[in-house]
Each structure stands twice: as structure tokens, then as C-alpha cells.
Amino acid sequence: MNSSPEQHKGSAERGDAPLREEVVEMPNATAAPMVMAFGLTLALSSVVMHLAFAVVGLVIAVGGLVYWIRHLTPGAGVHWEEWVPESNRPQPVRVSPGGVSSIQSGMPGHRLRVPAEIYPYSAGLKGGLVGGLMMALTALADGHFSGHGIWYPVNLLSAMVIPAFNNMSAEELDKFHLMGLIVGTIIHVVTSIIVGLFFGIILPMCPRWPLLWGGLVAPLLWSGFVYGFMGVLNPVMSEQVDWPWFFVSQFAFGFTMGFVVMQSTKVQIQQVLEVETQQSADNSQHSQPDES
């Protein structure tokens, strides 16, 4: 266009409609909001850092706010843009009616669920219990060979729930405590069952060598997690546990649980049964002679 933005603005203020329709007022880009936000962030960080951050942050925030207000005053912070030519504007969407064939029950891809075969929940339950027994035997062996006694690992586990055990010395943890035995057994059994059920569910989805996933990969993952959070979950156990024996017990649990689960026979999920039932019905229907 030959006319300048000032001419467009003046023409628009005088009510010159044709010129007003040829341009549009657009706001200029500004970093004022980000500057103000940065200053407020610095000011709030002084709560945990130093008072100097509050002073610097407030100065930056006020400067950003002033610049933002100045940018919003009439006649400032805007520029004029020409309208896009009519030929370059988006055209109305043309609707072309049509349809697709629906997937019926029994067809490949209908409500597909993977995997097609899974281990029954009872396999995970048995695997968790047997693996938990193996881990318990490993922990008891650790207590015996370390000189603490077989009740030591049980009392360490129960310290997660019983606050009084957190204040006991190593000599007191070596002794038998009925409450520690009950609580430690409950924690161990419940945890073993939950891990066994979870493992039984995800094992069919693991690619190849399921025993490797259950006996090596899974124990490495949850052992690393427990090692990182043991100081929060059980401070006493974090300080006094024999970590090499702890990792050995986790691998014993994983290999035993994985072996027991793998010995179970897989069952087909409901989707596969529905497909086979539908296919059998279709085959029987096609095989019947036409009475007409």
C-alpha cells in the first residue's frame, strides 16, 4: 500500500471506512510480562535464599510492570498490518460425504487386547508366596551367619511400622519379640503376594526370556528403588541391614517367583474366547445344508 500507517490511523479516526478495512491494528511483541514474572520469581526466592534477591527481584518486577503499562497506552505498542488478499485466505471446507465399513465382532482387530494369553491370578499368588518363602529363608540365613540371630531381620522389617523398634539397639533387635514377629510376617506376606500378582500380570507382556525379566531385571529395579528410599521408609533397616545379603534375597525371590509362575498354564483372555466362539458358530452355520 502507498499510504503510511499514520495516514491509515488518521483516516480510520475520521471514519474513512474503505481505508479502515484495508489494515488491522495489531499489538507489538513485548517481553515485559516475562521480565515482570522473572522479577517476582527472584523476589519470592529470597524466602529460602537471601534478602538481596528480594531487592533485585522487586526492581526488575517494577521495571517490567512500568514497561508493560507504557506498552498498553493508546497509540503505543501497536502496528498496522494489511489484510491478506482474498485469494490467499482459507476457503470454506468442502464436505464430501462417505463412510467406512464397520469392524464386527469376530473380525481381526475388533476390540484387540494384548496379550492373547495370560497367566491366571493364582499363578502370581503362588509365585509370590513361594518366592517370599525363599526370600525369608535367605534373610534368616543372613541373620544366623552374621551372628545377630534369626529374629534380627524380622525385627528390622517390623521397625517400618512399630515406632518402638526404631529406638532399639542391635542387641535388643537380636531378641525375639512377639509383636515384631506378627507385624514382620504380615508385611512380608502381603508384599510378596502383591509383587507376585503384579509379576504374573506383566510377565506375558515381557519380550522373550521371562525368567530373565523376573529373576534379574525386576529385582534390580525394585532393589534400586528400595535402596534409594530405605532411609525414608525404614531408617533403622537402612542403617543396619547387610546390603549384599539384601540383594541376594531379592534375586532369590525374583528367580523363585518367576520359575513358579512360568510353570503354570496360560489361559486365553475373554476376547480370544469370544472370537473362537463366533468363528465356530459361523463355521457350523455355513456347514448346515440349505433346506430350501
Side-chain angles (χ1 to χ4, degrees), residues 138-210:
T138 308
L140 294 179
D142 170 36
H144 173 72
F145 290 113
S146 64
H148 288 287
I150 60 175
W151 305 117
Y152 182 73
V154 180
N155 293 328
L156 283 181
L157 182 60
S158 60
M160 183 184 301
V161 178
I162 305 178
F165 280 48
N166 293 322
N167 301 323
M168 289 184 179
S169 61
E171 291 75 15
E172 293 176 314
L173 292 173
D174 294 344
K175 301 177 182 179
F176 171 77
H177 298 277
L178 179 60
M179 183 59 65
L181 175 62
I182 295 174
V183 173
T185 302
I186 293 175
I187 295 176
H188 181 67
V189 171
V190 171
T191 306
S192 299
I193 291 176
I194 293 175
V195 175
L197 290 173
F198 179 74
F199 183 80
I201 293 173
I202 67 171
L203 183 59
M205 294 181 284
C206 296
R208 304 177 65 181
W209 305 304

